[in-house]
């Protein structure tokens, strides 16, 4: 992240301040004002950067557009799939529904941000829109990894403590946990909109706000959730291997008690979330460490060569869950086929009903006009 200037920002500079302050979620450009681009080019040339990403901004935007579009489509299908009667009462369906909404929100905001950088808006952006965009991005960025932690913890209890499953892994408790995560994420976010001052269409960010959000985003959206996901998955996989060894020691046949069909796909969702979150967390930690060791060193410029790749990997985390589920389980493939067929049938029935209503109303109006004509003719006679 480049060093943020905490001077008063004009109305159309609010978004620029926010983009610079939240470079943790936007590892590609940083501040894209004319001076910012010139400073970035100078820093990059002084460090011997091997490529100029400005030449490929349209290609990069196209890739981001593809990732976001496929991710949002997958999240919508995941939400529909989790509404099936076989899954709706299960606890993990709640986590996946919350993830569908949170991930889609974050993907949309990132796409709007990247689009504004490639095709900049020429008119002034109101202060409240910039603050709202920042708030939603940080909220979703903190909430999504912790929802994966909740999902992983749910699987850990089901596998390692199966007797507690009916007590702890219920739909109501999952809703309570997800709601609590949402509230905590909002509390962590609250200092920014509360402390932000707006005077005469100028936005005054308080001193120290960038350091606060560096700490919050690095700790609560990367380091801690990644640590929990890693530890829980190690315990889950270890318990699965122990269970297989235990069952194999008491049976001579290859047939054994089947595992829960949801175990492997959900563990894969958790593991791949860890894989896509770790590179960004490591890069951000290295960047902040370099900047703290040498105040005159631009850690953001040092990571220019890899930041674009890390950003795309980071975006994949918020659009991959549905595709992991259907690729790893035939059960989920059958469910989504049935759900889509059911939705298509309902849509056709509603369309037929609306057409029949229109037809009946037209017939009624036609018969009414015909009878009125007959009455007029009889009066004339």
């Amino acid at each position: 992240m480049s060093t943020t200037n905490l001077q008063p920002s004009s109305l159309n500079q609010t978004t620029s301040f926010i983009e610079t302050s939240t470079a943790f979620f936007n590892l590609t450009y940083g501040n894209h004002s004319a001076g910012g681009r010139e400073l970035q080019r100078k820093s990059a040339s002084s460090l011997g950067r091997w490529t100029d990403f400005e030449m490929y901004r349209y290609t990069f935007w196209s890739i981001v557009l593809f990732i976001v579009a496929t991710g949002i489509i997958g999240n919508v299908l995941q939400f529909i799939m989790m509404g099936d009667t076989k899954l709706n009462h299960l606890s993990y369906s709640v986590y996946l529904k919350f993830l569908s909404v949170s991930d889609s929100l974050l993907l949309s905001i990132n796409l709007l941000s990247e689009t504004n950088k490639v095709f900049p808006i020429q008119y002034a952006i109101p202060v409240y829109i910039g603050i709202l965009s920042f708030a939603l991005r940080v909220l979703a960025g903190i909430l999504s990894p912790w929802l994966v932690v909740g999902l992983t913890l749910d699987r850990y209890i089901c596998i390692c403590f199966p007797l507690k499953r009916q007590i702890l892994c219920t739909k109501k408790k999952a809703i309570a946990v997800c709601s609590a995560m949402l509230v905590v994420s909002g509390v962590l976010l609250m200092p920014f909109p509360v402390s932000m001052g707006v005077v005469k269409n100028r936005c005054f960010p308080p001193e120290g706000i960038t350091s606060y959000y560096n700490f919050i985003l690095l700790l609560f959206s990367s380091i801690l959730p990644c640590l929990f996901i890693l530890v829980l998955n190690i315990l889950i996989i270890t318990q699965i291997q122990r269970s297989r060894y235990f069952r194999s020691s008491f049976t001579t046949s290859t047939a054994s008690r089947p595992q829960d069909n949801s175990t492997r796909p959900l563990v894969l969702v958790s593991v791949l979330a860890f894989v896509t979150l770790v590179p960004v967390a490591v890069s951000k930690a290295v960047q902040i460490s370099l900047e703290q060791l040498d105040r005159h060193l631009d850690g953001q410029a040092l990571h220019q060569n890899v930041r674009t790749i890390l950003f795309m990997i980071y975006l994949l985390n918020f659009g991959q869950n549905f595709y992991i589920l259907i690729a790893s389980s035939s059960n989920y493939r059958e469910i989504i086929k049935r759900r889509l067929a059911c939705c298509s049938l309902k849509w056709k029935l509603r369309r037929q009903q609306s057409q029949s209503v229109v037809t009946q109303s037209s017939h009624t109006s036609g018969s009414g006009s015909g009878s009125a004509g007959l009455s007029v003719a009889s009066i004339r006679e």
Side-chain angles (χ1 to χ4, degrees):
M1 177 186 297
S2 59
T3 305
T4 305
N5 184 8
L6 295 179
Q7 297 299 322
S9 302
S10 61
L11 181 64
N12 58 353
Q13 292 175 339
T14 304
T15 304
S16 178
F17 162 74
I18 291 172
E19 292 299 334
T20 307
S21 300
T22 58
F24 180 83
F25 292 114
N26 197 347
L27 302 174
T28 54
Y29 293 95
N31 191 333
H32 270 251
S33 61
R37 284 195 298 268
E38 183 65 24
L39 178 61
Q40 193 177 47
R41 281 195 290 268
K42 290 180 179 179
S43 299
S45 60
S46 64
L47 292 171
R49 190 176 62 179
W50 60 273
T51 182
D52 183 8
F53 186 74
E54 289 293 329
M55 297 174 57
Y56 307 101
R57 63 184 185 275
Y58 295 110
T59 303
F60 174 77
W61 178 82
S62 301
I63 295 174
V64 171
L65 177 62
F66 175 77
I67 294 175
V68 171
T70 54
I72 292 177
I73 292 173
N75 289 332
V76 171
L77 293 176
Q78 177 178 283
F79 192 91
I80 295 174
M81 183 173 65
M82 290 299 118
D84 188 74
T85 53
K86 290 185 177 180
L87 304 176
N88 191 42
H89 66 283
L90 299 175
S91 57
Y92 70 82
S93 68
V94 177
Y95 294 101
L96 291 176
K97 285 181 179 179
F98 270 81
L99 274 170
S100 299
V101 177
S102 176
D103 292 351
S104 298
L105 177 63
L106 190 58
L107 288 173
S108 301
I109 295 175
N110 277 283
L111 178 62
L112 291 176
S113 175
E114 297 303 321
T115 303
N116 186 38
K117 291 171 183 176
V118 179
F119 310 101
I121 300 174
Q122 300 300 326
Y123 56 86
I125 300 176
V127 173
Y128 68 89
I129 293 181
I131 295 177
L132 179 62
S133 174
F134 169 83
L136 291 177
R137 176 181 291 186
V138 175
L139 180 66
I142 295 176
L143 180 61
S144 290
W146 284 103
L147 290 173
V148 177
V149 173
L151 177 66
T152 310
L153 181 61
D154 181 87
R155 290 296 91 193
Y156 169 74
I157 295 174
C158 291
I159 294 172
C160 298
F161 303 97
L163 298 180
K164 302 286 187 179
R165 179 174 186 173
Q166 299 298 328
I167 301 174
L168 300 178
C169 300
T170 63
K171 184 177 180 179
K172 290 183 178 180
K173 287 184 172 58
I175 293 175
V177 171
C178 293
S179 301
M181 291 179 179
L182 180 60
V183 171
V184 172
S185 300
V187 170
L188 293 175
L189 173 67
M190 194 58 63
F192 181 83
V194 170
S195 58
M196 181 64 68
V198 179
V199 180
K200 295 182 180 181
N201 290 334
R202 290 181 175 270
C203 184
F204 292 87
E207 296 183 2
I209 194 69
T210 305
S211 300
Y212 170 76
Y213 278 104
N214 273 335
F215 173 76
I216 290 297
L217 297 177
L218 182 61
L219 184 64
F220 289 96
S221 66
S222 290
I223 294 180
L224 286 181
C226 286
L227 182 61
F228 277 108
I229 292 171
L230 177 62
V231 173
L232 290 174
N233 277 317
I234 291 175
L235 295 176
I236 289 172
I237 295 173
T238 302
Q239 182 62 32
I240 291 175
Q241 295 298 327
R242 288 178 179 176
S243 299
R244 288 179 178 176
Y245 177 78
F246 179 78
R247 289 195 304 270
S248 63
S249 63
F250 286 92
T251 180
T252 57
S253 62
T254 57
S256 61
R257 184 174 63 87
Q259 287 284 335
D260 186 357
N261 293 330
S262 63
T263 298
R264 184 178 64 178
L266 295 178
V267 170
L268 284 175
V269 167
S270 179
V271 170
L272 290 178
F274 172 81
V275 171
T276 52
L277 286 174
V278 163
V280 175
V282 173
S283 175
K284 186 63 180 177
V286 171
Q287 176 184 323
I288 293 177
S289 300
L290 290 174
E291 292 178 351
Q292 292 298 322
L293 291 175
D294 188 352
R295 295 291 183 177
H296 302 286
L297 184 63
D298 189 357
Q300 186 180 11
L302 287 174
H303 289 79
Q304 185 68 29
N305 293 340
V306 297
R307 287 187 307 150
T308 56
I309 299 176
L310 295 181
F311 180 69
M312 288 186 287
I313 294 174
Y314 177 75
L315 283 185
L316 288 175
N317 174 61
F318 305 101
Q320 65 183 356
N321 295 339
F322 171 76
Y323 303 102
I324 295 172
L325 294 176
I326 62 173
S328 59
S329 174
S330 59
N331 183 37
Y332 289 125
R333 291 194 291 270
E334 294 298 326
I335 291 175
I336 192 60
K337 289 179 182 178
R338 185 173 64 252
R339 291 287 295 173
L340 292 178
C342 181
C343 292
S344 177
L345 180 60
K346 289 181 179 179
W347 182 79
K348 289 180 180 179
L349 290 175
R350 290 177 181 176
R351 186 177 180 183
Q352 291 176 358
Q353 289 177 358
S354 61
Q355 289 178 351
S356 63
V357 169
V358 172
T359 304
Q360 290 177 1
S361 61
S362 62
H363 285 318
T364 303
S365 60
S367 61
S369 61
S371 60
L374 290 175
S375 62
V376 171
S378 60
I379 290 173
R380 289 179 178 177
E381 292 177 356

